[in-house]
Amino acid sequence: MIEALARGRQRFLLRKGGIAEGRQGFAIEHREFLLYPTWEHQHKASIRPAFQALFDEARPRRPGFVHFHYFAKVTDILVAPPRLEAMGALENDHVWSPAYLEMRYGYRPDRPLFVVLARLYRLPTDGETPEIARYAGCRSWVRLDEEIAVSGAAAIEPDDTFEVGRKSLLEKLLNQGARRER
């Protein structure tokens, strides 16, 4: 959830990939990207009650348009810990409900679940583009028809704060059996 990332409640995304990825599954196509706010597979119940207000705040302001507020840079990619129970050690590092995590682990168990650590940047000016059918669906990457300016984007957290949080999260993940992606 983008707002959780933007407010420092979480530093990572979980990805297995969408239907559009085909047999190869998920792969990081870009180490830097805009965060596309989507409601595909998003449910308020997927977020722990303490953070559900973030879900409500994130609703689109202008229907028919995609609004961009943030740019992300991938810092680390790991294969998630092999057992769902290991995610309990990360409860303070994300907003997802236990049922959501169970669903992510259970979907296509033959494919790895990736933990993508990302650093967020606030765009200097919010971007907007018409929402078109080609952008919709279960996919990880969408190439926009319009350019959204990212030059001048400001980091959400100071460098030292981000690095302390990043290193702590990496240590927890590795201690729970996650492994770095090559």
Side-chain angles (χ1 to χ4, degrees):
M1 184 178 157
I2 295 172
E3 283 304 313
L5 292 164
R7 297 194 187 175
R9 291 301 307 138
Q10 167 165 327
R11 284 192 173 81
F12 65 97
L13 306 166
L14 289 177
R15 294 297 309 154
K16 269 199 186 178
I19 295 166
E21 270 90 18
R23 282 190 286 211
Q24 275 65 42
F26 175 73
I28 295 286
E29 290 184 22
H30 309 282
R31 300 286 294 206
E32 298 181 356
F33 50 88
L34 292 166
L35 288 167
Y36 186 105
T38 180
W39 300 103
E40 191 85 18
H41 307 301
Q42 297 295 310
H43 305 284
K44 196 172 184 177
S46 297
I47 300 165
R48 286 182 279 149
F51 304 106
Q52 288 182 354
L54 294 175
F55 186 90
D56 295 331
E57 292 172 24
R59 281 302 200 183
R61 293 184 191 106
R62 188 171 168 206
F65 287 83
V66 181
H67 305 273
F68 297 94
H69 309 288
Y70 305 103
F71 173 71
K73 292 184 181 181
V74 172
T75 61
D76 303 271
I77 305 165
L78 297 96
V79 175
R83 295 180 308 105
L84 169 63
E85 296 77 26
M87 293 301 280
L90 303 174
E91 186 176 46
N92 293 327
D93 297 300
H94 67 81
V95 300
W96 296 305
S97 70
Y100 176 79
L101 292 172
E102 186 175 336
M103 184 269 302
R104 295 306 299 150
Y105 267 83
Y107 172 73
R108 300 289 312 256
D110 56 313
R111 290 193 182 163
L113 178 62
F114 292 96
V115 178
V116 180
L117 276 66
R119 184 160 190 200
L120 237 61
Y121 297 81
R122 179 84 162 96
L123 296 176
T125 305
D126 288 347
E128 179 181 87
T129 188
E131 189 169 27
I132 59 176
R134 185 174 59 77
Y135 298 163
C138 189
R139 63 185 76 241
S140 298
W141 306 105
V142 174
R143 185 166 304 280
L144 300 175
D145 289 343
E146 297 181 28
E147 213 37 56
I148 304 291
V150 298
S151 180
I156 296 293
E157 294 181 291
D159 292 347
D160 57 342
T161 303
F162 177 80
E163 273 307 307
V164 166
R166 177 184 159 267
K167 287 178 182 175
S168 172
L169 181 57
L170 283 172
E171 183 178 331
K172 288 178 197 176
L173 282 162
L174 294 169
N175 285 338
Q176 293 301 320
R179 66 182 198 281
R180 290 187 182 272
E181 177 66 9
R182 305 226 183 265

